[in-house]
């Protein structure tokens, strides 16, 4: 009985100590932003996309490994087709999530955000194209839902390409001469030159449709190709129109290629043997080690 009494007493004390207390703003970070800074988000997304295309294993080194121009000497995952998952994180988190937030921002103290939204959409479809070209079917229709969906379904590459064409056209057509344009610190590709973004959109549609020319969507692709050719925004016509990323050392953006570690890679036997006119395998060339 004594043990029961002690147990009940302790239980009652525990219950009484669980009273809810309002700690006010004790757990709120006073330095955290309370609203999206679309300029910072755009600069960050554009830098992440450009850097990921060069510095990432998917955008830079993996292609040379698959083509057997290079081989790995330390970390051999990619040359054995075990892909680095960090490329998914960069695209979905650092690039696409930020661009979606910008595209959904319709008000700003500077006025109409149509041009910011258009740029965000165009870089978004560019990133989606890289994803599906690299991996094939990827989470698309159900992606970028935050905590609402932790297991988004994979969308077919055919459906993704069809939607990317529609999104590119919509972004091109929403550009507004009356809306404000981001400056060169925000739009690190074109410096807010919406004429060049319009040319890029049409040229990007050409690239998308050409890749559909030998598929079941060839008819639609041809129609969209011809429409883009005739669109008043024009096409990229010279090197000065190219969408390019120039590393801003003063702004903290280093040249991504400088981060590649030479010690991790070597020329592959397939490449060097071919250049020497020798077989890549067998006793004439030696064992299976890197030259």
């Amino acid at each position: 009985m004594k043990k029961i009494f002690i147990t009940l007493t302790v239980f009652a004390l525990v219950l009484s100590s669980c009273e809810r207390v309002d700690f006010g703003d004790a757990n709120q970070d006073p330095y955290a932003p309370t609203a999206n800074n679309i300029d910072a988000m755009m600069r960050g997304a554009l830098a992440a996309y450009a850097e990921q295309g060069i510095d990432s294993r998917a955008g830079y080194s993996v292609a040379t490994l698959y083509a057997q121009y290079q081989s790995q000497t330390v970390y051999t995952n990619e040359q054995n087709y075990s892909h680095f998952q960090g490329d998914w994180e960069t695209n979905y988190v650092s690039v696409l999530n930020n661009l979606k937030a910008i595209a959904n921002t319709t008000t700003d103290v500077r006025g109409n955000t149509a041009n910011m939204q258009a740029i965000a959409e165009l870089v978004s479809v560019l990133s989606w194209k890289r994803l599906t070209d690299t991996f094939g079917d990827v989470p698309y229709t159900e992606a970028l839902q935050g905590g609402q969906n932790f297991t988004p379904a994979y969308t077919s590459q055919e459906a993704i390409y069809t939607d990317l064409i529609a999104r590119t056209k919509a972004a091109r057509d929403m550009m507004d001469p009356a809306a404000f344009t981001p400056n060169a610190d925000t739009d690190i590709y074109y410096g807010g030159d919406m004429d060049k973004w319009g040319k890029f959109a049409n040229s990007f549609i050409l690239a998308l449709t050409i890749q559909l020319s030998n598929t079941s969507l060839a008819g639609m692709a041809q129609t969209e190709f011809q429409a883009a050719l005739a669109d008043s925004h024009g096409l990229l016509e010279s090197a000065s129109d190219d969408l390019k990323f120039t590393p801003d050392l003063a702004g903290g953006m280093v040249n991504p290629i400088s981060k590649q570690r030479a010690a991790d890679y070597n020329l592959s036997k397939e490449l060097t043997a071919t250049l020497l006119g020798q077989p890549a395998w067998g006793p004439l060339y030696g064992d299976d080690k890197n030259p």
Side-chain angles (χ1 to χ4, degrees):
M1 180 63 72
K2 185 176 180 180
K3 290 182 179 179
I4 295 175
F5 176 76
I6 293 173
T7 302
L8 290 175
T9 302
V10 171
F11 185 65
L13 289 172
V14 170
L15 287 178
S16 63
S17 65
C18 291
E19 179 183 355
R20 292 187 177 182
V21 178
D22 183 3
F23 291 98
D25 59 0
N27 290 326
Q28 295 179 6
D29 184 355
Y31 303 103
T34 56
N36 290 334
N37 183 325
I38 58 176
D39 291 275
M41 295 176 76
M42 176 169 286
R43 178 183 172 90
L46 268 57
Y49 175 80
E51 188 172 4
Q52 194 260 356
I54 301 174
D55 180 43
S56 78
R57 298 173 188 177
Y60 179 69
S61 58
V62 168
T64 65
L65 294 172
Y66 287 179
Q68 297 186 328
Y69 296 151
Q70 290 192 112
S71 60
Q72 291 175 306
T73 59
V74 182
Y75 307 103
T76 60
N77 300 51
E78 283 76 19
Q79 70 179 14
N80 291 318
Y81 305 100
S82 178
H83 196 79
F84 176 57
Q85 298 304 310
D87 295 313
W88 286 72
E89 178 183 351
T90 300
N91 277 290
Y92 280 99
V93 179
S94 300
V95 179
L96 293 170
N97 255 329
N98 280 349
L99 294 174
K100 180 181 179 181
I102 298 168
N104 290 338
T105 302
T106 58
T107 60
D108 188 89
V109 295
R110 291 165 291 184
N112 189 340
T113 62
N115 290 331
M116 290 283 282
Q117 291 176 284
I119 294 173
E121 269 291 272
L122 289 174
V123 180
S124 182
V125 296
L126 189 61
S127 187
W128 280 117
K129 183 179 184 298
R130 174 186 287 170
L131 269 171
T132 189
D133 285 351
T134 302
F135 300 107
D137 298 351
V138 296
Y140 178 76
T141 304
E142 297 182 4
L144 307 180
Q145 296 181 7
Q148 303 300 317
N149 186 355
F150 293 104
T151 56
Y154 279 58
T155 303
S156 71
Q157 189 175 51
E158 182 178 275
I160 293 173
Y161 258 72
T162 301
D163 194 53
L164 293 184
I165 292 173
R167 289 175 63 178
T168 303
K169 291 166 58 180
R172 176 198 65 196
D173 296 340
M174 74 161 45
M175 295 178 187
D176 186 354
F180 75 90
T181 56
N183 59 32
D185 289 332
T186 298
D187 176 7
I188 58 176
Y189 293 169
Y190 281 138
D193 189 331
M194 299 311 297
D195 289 336
K196 289 185 177 180
W197 278 113
K199 293 180 179 181
F200 168 81
N202 282 330
S203 298
F204 188 63
I205 291 173
L206 299 187
L208 288 166
T209 53
I210 286 174
Q211 287 186 254
L212 295 175
S213 57
N214 290 323
T215 71
S216 60
L217 299 175
M220 178 274 290
Q222 182 176 7
T223 300
E224 296 293 354
F225 184 95
Q226 294 298 331
L229 281 178
D231 185 78
S232 60
H233 287 86
L235 301 167
L236 301 176
E237 298 177 345
S238 66
S240 63
D241 290 334
D242 288 347
L243 184 149
K244 56 187 178 182
F245 166 68
T246 303
D248 175 17
L249 299 181
M253 291 186 292
V254 301
N255 189 330
I257 296 179
S258 67
K259 292 194 281 186
Q260 292 290 327
R261 297 200 321 166
D264 289 343
Y265 300 93
N266 204 338
L267 293 177
S268 72
K269 178 180 293 185
E270 286 73 13
L271 176 62
T272 53
T274 300
L275 293 175
L276 293 171
Q278 299 174 343
W281 305 102
L284 180 62
Y285 192 81
D287 59 20
D288 61 351
K289 296 180 180 179
N290 294 318

